[in-house]
Structure formats: structure tokens, C-alpha cells
Amino acid sequence: QSMGQAGGPATYEAPVMPLDKHHLKKIGFSGLLNGVLKSSVLRQPLMHATDSLARARLMFGMGQGFGDMDSTARVITGIFSQMCTFYGNSFLFPIIEVLGDLLDTKPPAAPPNLPFDENSPAPDLGVDGSFWVGIERIHSAAKAFDRELWAEQRKGSERVWEILE
């Protein structure tokens, strides 16, 4: 939007630049687990987002009794929206699609023994164990995103919920 059409400054919308799914398919499960699904790689966007939220809070002076609430809200929701777009559409969703494409199911070698022994290795149910490790890491990353940027309200945090209160 131009300034004349909207009656004010244009709203910035970050571009969606998804991961290259063809490359992810080439590297397979081990490449995914040792690359984009590595815990340290998954933490980096969250660290940058929380840093951005802290900077926005400092720039707009919230928490010291002064500051422009509307501008702060626009900036904070903009940062949160960009992180949702990045972490979802550009990062985790393409990885989930690739995991699904890489999944090669085969019948189990033998039926599992019941009852399960939690201390013994999991029975072969026809799905590569790396698939489940990848799903678990994605689930953990999504929970961390929610916990770090939105849901948990801890004193002194720089979370979206607390900043917008």
C-alpha cells in the first residue's frame, strides 16, 4: 500500500522465503537431524525474536510509565507476526512436508511384544525412527516458540503478552 491509499505509512510485511524442499529431500533424515532440526539451529530464531522484542520495548519505553502504546503494540505484533510467518510457513511447515515425503512405510518385521517394556528399544513398527525424532524436535520447537514468545508470563520477561498488557 502507498501512503496515499492507506492514509498513513505503509505496513511492512516480511517476505515468505521457505526452505528449499528439494535440497532437504536430498539430505534425508540424517541431514535434517544434523542440520535444520538440530537443537541449536532451532533455538537461533527464538533468540533473535526475543532480542527484537526486548529492543522494541526499550525503544518505545514501555514499563517505565511512558511510551506510545499504539506504536508499541504495532511493532510488537509486527515482530510476532513475522516470527509466526517465518517459523511456520518458511521453516517448520516445509520440513514437515519433507519428512512426510521421506517417510517410507513398510510392514513391521514382527508384532510387538505386549506389554511394552519402557526400558527396552522400541519395536519396529515399519517407520524409520529418525522420522519420530524429527517430529519430536519440531514439536519441541513449536512448544518453545509458544512458551518463549507468547504464553508464559514471567516477571522481567520480554514476551509479547507481557509487553502488550
Side-chain angles (χ1 to χ4, degrees):
Q1 282 181 358
S2 71
M3 289 177 99
Q5 294 171 331
T11 303
Y12 174 74
E13 193 169 317
V16 176
M17 298 181 296
L19 296 174
D20 181 6
K21 289 189 269 188
H22 297 295
H23 175 72
L24 296 177
K25 286 179 188 176
K26 285 181 191 175
I27 62 175
F29 284 124
S30 63
L32 286 169
L33 294 176
N34 294 320
V36 295
L37 288 179
K38 201 174 190 179
S39 297
S40 60
V41 174
L42 289 171
R43 274 194 305 268
Q44 288 299 317
L46 292 178
M47 290 175 13
H48 291 300
T50 54
D51 184 51
S52 294
L53 291 173
R55 288 172 191 241
R57 190 171 189 184
L58 287 173
M59 286 173 53
F60 290 94
M62 297 310 296
Q64 290 96 20
F66 63 92
D68 180 357
M69 294 289 279
D70 291 337
S71 295
T72 303
R74 277 194 302 276
V75 169
I76 298 302
T77 55
I79 291 170
F80 185 70
S81 174
Q82 288 177 26
M83 277 306 299
C84 290
T85 298
F86 167 76
Y87 223 55
N89 295 338
S90 298
F91 193 68
L92 294 180
F93 294 171
I95 294 171
I96 290 172
E97 287 180 31
V98 168
L99 284 174
D101 292 343
L102 291 174
L103 186 60
D104 183 28
T105 57
K106 56 190 179 314
N113 294 325
L114 297 175
F116 288 118
D117 179 9
E118 295 291 326
N119 297 322
S120 65
D124 174 16
L125 297 178
V127 176
D128 188 331
S130 298
F131 171 80
W132 298 114
V133 173
I135 293 295
E136 190 275 328
R137 288 186 186 175
I138 290 170
H139 180 251
S140 294
K143 279 178 35 180
F145 177 84
D146 184 54
R147 183 178 58 247
E148 292 299 318
L149 296 182
W150 187 260
E152 286 189 8
Q153 298 180 44
R154 293 188 292 215
K155 277 287 189 206
S157 69
E158 304 300 337
R159 284 158 183 72
V160 172
W161 183 263
E162 180 181 305
I163 295 169
L164 293 179
E165 278 192 304

